[in-house]
Amino acid sequence: MFKYTSLSILFCIVFSTNSHSQSEPHLKDINKVWAKFYLAFETLDSEPMAEIHSKKLIRISGGKRILDYKSYITNYKATFQNSKHNNVTNTIALRFFERINNDSTASERGIYKLTRNKGQNNEKSYYVKFHVLFIKEEGAWKILMDYDSTEGDTIGETDFLKAYAIDDLKAFITE
């Protein structure tokens, strides 16, 4: 009996560990997707946004509404055009408290800071919790689900700084 119990425990440990491993190559590849996300905000160009999202996208904004891919990208085109027209700049930064992945799926949670008109008198920053699910489509990571919320405007700079920087991969590597 002891032999079978020990084997069962070992089996569970091995398979539960492997199913939740985070590899540095996966994180680096996912960070390339995030780099395009950053680029979209900095250049006010919706094309990088369109490239990094799956056509099967489920976007849940502020816990209040659900959008599909077409609506989401259309909204960003309008938002970015409006920002350009009004000379509004955007800078976005992500920090993470969870990054889980395998060969085909990833879940990332954290806080983003969106700063409008950085360095100007009317500079304003917003802090938002996010949860993003990635899938691999034809060998490329794509955002499948994107949920964010201000948690009733309770998220701030302190929360943002507690999370790990996007390039702090070692905090999440388990293999």
Side-chain angles (χ1 to χ4, degrees), residues 2-160:
F2 178 76
K3 181 179 176 181
Y4 293 113
T5 303
S6 297
L7 285 174
S8 294
I9 291 170
L10 180 61
F11 181 83
C12 289
I13 290 170
V14 167
F15 283 99
S16 67
T17 302
N18 286 341
S19 67
H20 297 291
S21 67
Q22 284 62 253
S23 74
E24 188 169 352
H26 292 326
L27 290 171
K28 285 181 176 181
D29 285 344
I30 291 167
N31 277 358
K32 290 175 187 173
V33 176
W34 287 126
K36 287 185 179 183
F37 186 77
Y38 280 21
L39 179 66
F41 277 87
E42 291 168 9
T43 61
L44 300 172
D45 182 0
S46 63
E47 284 304 311
M49 292 294 274
E51 290 174 18
I52 65 172
H53 288 85
S54 169
K55 300 271 193 270
K56 301 173 195 168
L57 176 70
I58 301 167
R59 168 70 172 132
I60 305 161
S61 179
K64 296 180 182 172
R65 64 183 179 149
I66 297 175
L67 299 173
D68 62 8
Y69 173 87
K70 185 178 178 182
S71 299
Y72 180 66
I73 298 305
T74 299
N75 284 351
Y76 263 107
K77 282 181 184 177
T79 298
F80 288 162
Q81 286 174 355
N82 187 43
S83 292
K84 284 179 185 177
H85 182 263
N86 292 313
N87 294 318
V88 173
T89 63
N90 288 299
T91 304
I92 197 159
L94 303 170
R95 292 181 67 90
F96 300 87
F97 47 81
E98 178 182 280
R99 299 185 87 178
I100 302 169
N101 63 64
N102 60 30
D103 290 339
S104 61
T105 310
S107 173
E108 302 208 341
R109 296 186 320 125
I111 297 173
Y112 72 78
K113 176 182 181 179
L114 174 64
T115 303
R116 294 217 163 110
N117 300 317
K118 189 171 187 169
Q120 298 176 28
N121 289 339
N122 60 344
E123 178 179 313
K124 176 84 172 137
S125 291
Y126 304 89
Y127 299 90
V128 182
K129 260 189 189 175
F130 68 87
H131 186 179
V132 171
L133 297 179
F134 287 87
I135 57 170
K136 270 222 179 147
E137 290 183 349
E138 299 178 19
W141 288 104
K142 301 279 184 166
I143 297 172
L144 175 65
M145 190 275 305
D146 181 358
Y147 175 92
D148 68 19
S149 175
T150 64
E151 305 288 313
D153 293 323
T154 61
I155 310 301
E157 180 79 12
T158 302
D159 303 299
F160 180 74

